Amino acid sequence: MSTPPRDKVQVGWICALPEEAAAAREMLDENFGTLKEQNGTDTNSYILGRIGNHYVAIAVLGQYGTTSATAVATNLSRTFSRSLKFGLMVGIAAGIPSPGHDIRLGDIVVSSPAGTCGGVVQYDTGKLVKDGKLERTGSLNAPPRLLLNAVGIMRSSTMTEVPKYLGYMEKAIHRNERTRKTFGRPDVSTDRLFRAECEHPATASTCEGCLPDWEQPRTAREDDEANIHYGIVESGNAVIKHAATRDQLGRETGALCFEMEAAGLMMDFPCIVVRGICDYADSHKNDTWHAYAALAAAAYAKELLDYVPSADLDTEKLVIEVCQIMSDQIQEVKQGLELAFRQREEQHQENIGRALDQELQDCHQAFKTSTYEAYKNVNPKREEGTCQWVLDNVLYHQWRGSDRHDLLWITADPGCGKSVLARSLADHDLVTSPPISICYFFFKDNEDQGSLPTALCALLHQLFGLQRQLLRNALPEWRKNGTQIKEEADALWRILDAAVSDEAFTSTIFILDALDECQTDHQEKLVEKLVHFYTERHSVTRQNWLKFLLTSRPYANIQNGFRSATESFPEIRIRGEDENGQIHKEIDHIVKRRVEQLAQEFNLAWETRQKLEDQLLRMRHRTYLWLHLAMEDLRTMLRISLEPEKLIQNLAKLIPDSVDAAYEKILQRVPRDARRLVKSTFQIIVGAWRPLTIPELAIALGAAMADWRRAAIAGLEPRGLAENIRQMCGLFVFIDSSERVYLMHQTAREFLVKNMTPDGREWPAQIRATHKYEDVKGDRLLEVTSKMSLITEA
Ligand SMILES: [Zn+2]
């Protein structure tokens, strides 16, 4: 018995399990043992043999699965490159019984073309998640014509003759005691098909406890023969152990069985798949039928080979000629395999990505807790030539140009245009190319916009929008706390800290405006965190940095907090009212521009205009806010005056000398019959815990002004209220596009809640809220607003 030359092997027989290899060996008419010399890069081991007129190489996969099938097939075609004509994939599979196919254990399924399918459908279990639906990733080419012809002849032959494979099985089973033990047919009572909803108990090792009631009723077969089914084989990379999934996939593809090797073959590897059915892909599956099913498949393959004329096979193309992907270049094969592997990996990553993407989006959305953009845009746009007291400042330029974590603190008295500056910095002045990330938050003295967690959420929401990768730093805390995270200043700061330490972090500026309007305890906490952050990291020069820019009034408590770190932090400090020449110069410039506009608008004589300008420039406490209020007030008076020129002659009395005086003047002009309404309006706006909308304000006003007993059902008509409020409360309030009513400036609130003693003049004292802010909240207003909330919630 001499080993045939390698060049005579035309059939590659590929199997995976020891039972399958043993069954294959039983089918050999002559066994030449293992192949001694082979390509050095080929890691397969082969048993060479003869079946009829064909020399066969049995190649055994080391393990289940499509990837190793690819490697085995590639090596097979390489080692037998000069003679190999086709492959047989022979082994076991899980059956998919259906009304159309009464598949039993031990039956045989042979891959056959159907419709556009070549006989093997590849599926990727990674893609099963989508609606539980199977996504086909491709199908193998149909088996070569030669094999299909052989199948055709065998099919017709078995219709009239006793097939030979049954005899091959008998012979193999009865060869000796061991083969009887290994390959003998298990008792038919162990072939149990359970209804899909009857799951195998997780703890039971056998089906002894699985009730006969659970079984699908099937008529007993007349004989115990292994039947043959021709159709589609489904091939994937995971074991299916779930009856409902099995049935669903079966319905979608019409497949008769699942297996795990064929899909790994290249599309054009010429082969046929022969499978013995060993279980039903459900939770009850076990190994009882493995060997018998493997033997049935092997016996079928042996008979099939009988129908392949070896003369025809000699003229058949070589596998390596058929497989474009293989050509002669091993390198190309490798690349193809790597590509296939990469594609599968990418699909997998894509699926993970999709799921993660949704989570990331939800996580990102959790930080959108305020309308931070609206609060920025409430501030007027900066006028050319203004805010130069900062923009020309050497400390500002040092901060801007430094390449390390840094902080700039800008303090100035009310009305110097800090918020206008902050908006301008965010929108224009700090914008660079290539862009750095600019995030901002404008504190406001209300429940909504005065808290540190809200500010941190806004900053993080913007940061994650600009640098999406950083979201990963928020996921752990978000998974732990959900949307609750928006309340946790410490957790939010930890996320910020992690994001800044992330290698994907790029240079970022955080602008925090009006720190003094942040709630006091939150203010302290923020200052503490900033001091800690910068004392730890400040000095290091780095490629990507985080810079803060803070604006605030020069309040002692904030200053004290910073004291421990002041040496490291530059501070631009302006006392807007009288200590800084720069800001006065800027305002003088604006004064001239405004007067010119006013002169044109009202056609003022040159002398009048000059007089007005002189008067304004002579004022000692000149701030932007003061100028704004004074000019607007002047414009109103001019509009209602019949003799504008004469009015201006009396200027000294007309121009308020401070912001408070300007507010006072505005109030004085409210008509007597509207005073009660204006007073109530201010009380409600000042006392409300968050900015109210016009309809809310209408209800509150109705309640406040009505008789107590009817308060709950009262309510003003909201239509037209916005316009009324704009006219009567004038420069104090601002109504945004979503109809929320704000106080224009923090100084307006302060003016309204000042606990002044009546100064004798009837009007301002009357309209002023005569309680302190806190008292207003706890007073009648509280009842009014709580009644309002009852009404709105009802
Ligand atoms: Zn069971």
Side-chain angles (χ1 to χ4, degrees):
M1 190 165 63
S2 66
T3 306
R6 201 168 64 178
D7 293 0
K8 288 208 161 169
V9 173
Q10 293 180 313
V11 180
W13 180 305
I14 301 170
C15 49
L17 298 174
E19 297 97 307
E20 293 169 351
R25 269 205 315 274
E26 289 300 317
M27 295 303 129
L28 295 177
D29 295 324
E30 217 176 331
N31 187 333
F32 304 115
T34 53
L35 177 69
K36 301 292 187 299
E37 15 76 64
Q38 67 188 67
N39 190 315
T41 57
D42 185 347
T43 52
N44 289 351
S45 59
Y46 302 101
I47 295 159
L48 298 190
R50 182 181 57 78
I51 293 174
N53 296 323
H54 303 291
Y55 289 105
V56 178
I58 301 170
V60 185
L61 275 70
Q63 65 189 73
Y64 261 137
T66 52
T67 313
S68 68
T70 314
V72 167
T74 308
N75 285 326
L76 183 69
S77 3
R78 227 158 56 197
T79 293
F80 303 97
S81 62
R82 273 178 289 183
S83 55
L84 194 74
K85 298 295 171 75
F86 64 80
L88 300 168
M89 304 278 298
V90 188
I92 55 173
I96 312 176
S98 64
H101 293 275
D102 179 22
I103 293 172
R104 309 271 173 120
L105 300 188
D107 279 0
I108 299 155
V109 172
V110 181
S111 70
S112 303
T116 54
C117 176
V120 178
V121 177
Q122 303 180 318
Y123 68 92
D124 189 327
T125 46
K127 299 210 162 191
L128 284 178
V129 284
K130 210 175 169 190
D131 319 321
K133 268 198 168 172
L134 168 105
E135 198 166 320
R136 275 170 60 162
T137 57
S139 68
L140 291 189
N141 284 349
R145 174 64 28 207
L146 198 72
L147 281 173
L148 288 178
N149 288 345
V151 167
I153 301 166
M154 185 169 163
R155 281 181 87 161
S156 69
S157 158
T158 50
M159 286 173 188
T160 52
E161 310 298 324
V162 177
K164 287 184 243 171
Y165 71 90
L166 296 173
Y168 296 150
M169 290 176 76
E170 282 306 301
K171 195 180 160 204
I173 290 168
H174 297 293
R175 193 166 63 81
N176 62 33
E177 192 51 40
R178 279 179 183 270
T179 54
R180 224 188 324 274
K181 241 177 150 174
T182 304
F183 294 116
R185 185 181 168 89
D187 194 89
V188 71
S189 65
T190 60
D191 179 2
R192 303 174 72 187
L193 176 61
F194 294 99
R195 293 199 307 276
E197 65 273 21
C198 301
E199 295 268 350
H200 184 77
T203 49
S205 56
T206 69
C207 280
E208 269 170 38
C210 297
L211 304 175
D213 276 3
W214 300 357
E215 287 178 37
Q216 204 115 271
R218 293 189 293 184
T219 48
R221 278 188 180 166
E222 286 173 15
D223 53 49
D224 285 347
E225 284 176 9
N227 290 5
I228 307 170
H229 310 266
Y230 295 93
I232 291 170
V233 171
E234 213 164 298
S235 187
N237 54 1
V239 180
I240 293 173
K241 291 177 75 169
H242 188 250
T245 307
R246 171 199 70 203
D247 291 342
Q248 192 190 345
L249 298 188
R251 274 195 300 276
E252 280 165 22
T253 58
L256 307 182
C257 69
F258 295 115
E259 60 99 84
M260 293 181 63
E261 278 84 40
L265 294 178
M266 285 73 68
M267 292 267 292
D268 39 13
F269 184 81
C271 72
I272 195 163
V273 179
V274 181
R275 295 289 163 201
I277 302 305
C278 63
D279 61 53
Y280 294 118
D282 56 12
S283 51
H284 305 273
K285 79 200 284 294
N286 58 57
D287 293 353
T288 312
W289 285 75
H290 272 199
Y292 180 82
L295 186 70
Y300 176 92
K302 178 181 165 84
E303 181 172 358
L304 185 66
L305 277 179
D306 282 351
Y307 294 99
V308 179
S310 55
D312 287 4
L313 197 53
D314 288 340
T315 60
E316 187 79 7
K317 278 186 175 169
L318 291 170
V319 166
I320 57 162
E321 289 170 337
V322 178
C323 288
Q324 288 299 317
I325 191 171
M326 303 195 61
S327 66
D328 318 77
Q329 298 286 322
I330 293 166
Q331 198 50 40
E332 273 184 38
V333 174
K334 262 191 165 168
Q335 282 172 355
L337 288 174
E338 277 163 14
L339 182 70
F341 180 75
R342 238 190 354 261
Q343 281 169 348
R344 177 167 307 169
E345 192 59 25
E346 277 164 16
Q347 280 165 3
H348 183 59
Q349 290 301 332
E350 215 178 277
N351 287 327
I352 294 178
R354 261 199 294 275
L356 198 62
D357 220 45
Q358 189 53 50
E359 192 185 21
L360 283 173
Q361 269 175 28
D362 294 346
C363 174
H364 188 199
Q365 218 39 46
F367 293 98
K368 181 81 173 79
T369 61
S370 67
T371 53
Y372 55 79
E373 192 171 12
Y375 279 96
K376 167 174 73 71
N377 294 338
V378 158
N379 298 290
K381 288 183 179 162
R382 180 171 74 82
E383 240 179 277
E384 190 61 36
T386 63
C387 298
Q388 298 302 324
W389 56 278
V390 170
L391 298 176
D392 289 344
N393 192 296
V394 66
L395 291 173
Y396 169 74
H397 285 280
Q398 274 172 9
W399 169 83
R400 220 190 139 168
S402 78
D403 48 3
R404 59 185 188 193
H405 294 316
D406 212 343
L407 185 148
L408 179 67
W409 186 23
I410 298 173
T411 60
D413 283 334
C416 290
K418 295 183 298 290
S419 299
V420 173
L421 169 75
R423 178 183 176 179
S424 178
L425 288 171
D427 288 349
H428 305 288
D429 302 315
L430 289 173
V431 176
T432 56
S433 169
I436 43 172
S437 304
I438 302 171
C439 314
Y440 54 81
F441 188 79
F442 288 63
F443 284 108
K444 276 271 172 257
D445 184 11
N446 64 49
E447 195 75 357
D448 259 8
Q449 204 74 357
S451 93
L452 178 58
T454 309
L456 292 174
C457 279
L459 292 175
L460 288 170
H461 185 258
Q462 295 166 77
L463 180 66
F464 295 148
L466 294 163
Q467 302 180 32
R468 234 185 126 61
Q469 277 182 295
L470 300 185
L471 256 174
R472 59 187 172 209
N473 299 289
L475 278 180
E477 293 280 357
W478 186 71
R479 283 178 182 143
K480 205 164 73 191
N481 296 309
T483 49
Q484 207 45 40
I485 201 168
K486 62 175 190 273
E487 318 282 348
E488 309 282 339
D490 290 324
L492 291 165
W493 191 269
R494 276 200 298 278
I495 293 170
L496 177 67
D497 219 27
V500 174
S501 307
D502 193 306
E503 55 181 14
F505 175 81
T506 63
S507 294
T508 300
I509 293 175
F510 283 168
I511 298 171
L512 290 175
D513 182 61
L515 193 54
D516 50 275
E517 291 193 45
C518 175
Q519 296 165 34
T520 314
D521 48 337
H522 291 197
Q523 217 176 78
E524 284 161 7
K525 190 160 202 167
L526 174 62
V527 169
E528 187 188 301
K529 293 213 177 286
L530 284 171
V531 168
H532 184 72
F533 180 81
Y534 282 100
T535 41
E536 286 215 330
R537 314 202 194 195
H538 174 254
S539 57
V540 195
T541 301
R542 48 192 302 138
Q543 207 178 347
N544 292 299
W545 36 252
L546 173 63
K547 291 182 193 175
F548 270 88
L549 185 140
L550 305 176
T551 76
S552 110
R553 294 185 184 182
Y555 285 164
N557 59 333
I558 304 178
Q559 261 158 336
N560 290 343
F562 270 124
R563 189 145 294 158
S564 59
T566 8
E567 277 170 25
S568 349
F569 299 140
E571 180 195 349
I572 299 178
R573 187 150 182 256
I574 304 256
R575 300 205 56 91
E577 293 191 358
D578 47 23
E579 282 178 20
N580 190 281
Q582 169 94 52
I583 200 164
H584 276 183
K585 252 193 274 170
E586 277 176 41
I587 289 172
D588 292 351
H589 182 70
I590 303 299
V591 164
K592 286 174 188 164
R593 205 184 290 167
R594 288 279 185 282
V595 170
E596 197 181 315
Q597 283 163 357
L598 204 70
Q600 274 177 9
E601 195 178 328
F602 293 96
N603 207 14
L604 299 178
W606 192 83
E607 294 82 14
T608 317
R609 175 185 150 176
Q610 207 52 41
K611 196 173 174 193
L612 179 60
E613 194 178 294
D614 287 348
Q615 191 71 36
L616 285 166
L617 293 178
R618 214 175 296 144
M619 291 293 171
R620 219 171 146 260
H621 301 287
R622 316 204 277 286
T623 65
Y624 283 117
L625 180 64
W626 160 81
L627 180 63
H628 172 73
L629 293 171
M631 291 307 288
E632 285 304 310
D633 190 54
L634 210 53
R635 174 170 279 116
T636 311
M637 283 192 299
L638 286 168
R639 212 174 278 144
I640 55 175
S641 162
L642 296 171
E643 295 169 294
E645 297 284 347
K646 207 171 175 185
L647 187 81
I648 304 279
Q649 300 309 313
N650 226 349
L651 267 181
K653 275 194 216 156
L654 293 179
I655 298 175
D657 60 357
S658 69
V659 167
D660 272 8
Y663 284 136
E664 189 104 21
K665 266 191 99 245
I666 296 165
L667 290 186
Q668 277 170 355
R669 259 204 325 277
V670 174
R672 183 167 291 272
D673 56 352
R675 289 177 183 180
R676 197 168 155 236
L677 177 68
V678 170
K679 182 175 175 178
S680 297
T681 305
F682 281 143
Q683 280 180 326
I684 290 166
I685 294 173
V686 168
W689 287 60
R690 60 166 171 79
L692 301 175
T693 62
I694 287 287
E696 287 171 337
L697 188 60
I699 294 167
L701 268 176
M705 299 186 67
D707 181 83
W708 275 122
R709 286 166 296 270
R710 299 191 292 114
I713 52 161
L716 284 186
E717 174 58 51
R719 258 178 302 168
L721 183 61
E723 197 39 49
N724 272 338
I725 287 177
R726 264 192 210 103
Q727 271 189 7
M728 289 187 296
C729 306
L731 296 167
F732 279 88
V733 299
F734 172 85
I735 303 171
D736 75 5
S737 56
S738 54
E739 291 216 310
R740 301 221 298 179
V741 186
Y742 307 83
L743 283 173
M744 186 73 94
H745 199 266
Q746 184 64 359
T747 53
R749 177 187 297 276
E750 286 156 358
F751 172 80
L752 290 171
V753 301
K754 253 180 212 160
N755 193 14
M756 294 197 279
T757 47
D759 57 5
R761 281 178 294 164
E762 184 204 284
W763 166 237
Q766 241 185 14
I767 198 161
R768 238 172 253 135
T770 48
H771 306 284
K772 282 184 183 170
Y773 185 21
E774 287 74 16
D775 295 341
V776 176
K777 266 195 232 172
D779 198 18
R780 181 178 174 198
L781 187 71
L782 184 64
E783 284 187 55
V784 171
T785 42
S786 62
K787 282 195 177 85
M788 184 202 75
S789 67
L790 281 178
I791 294 165
T792 46
E793 278 162 27

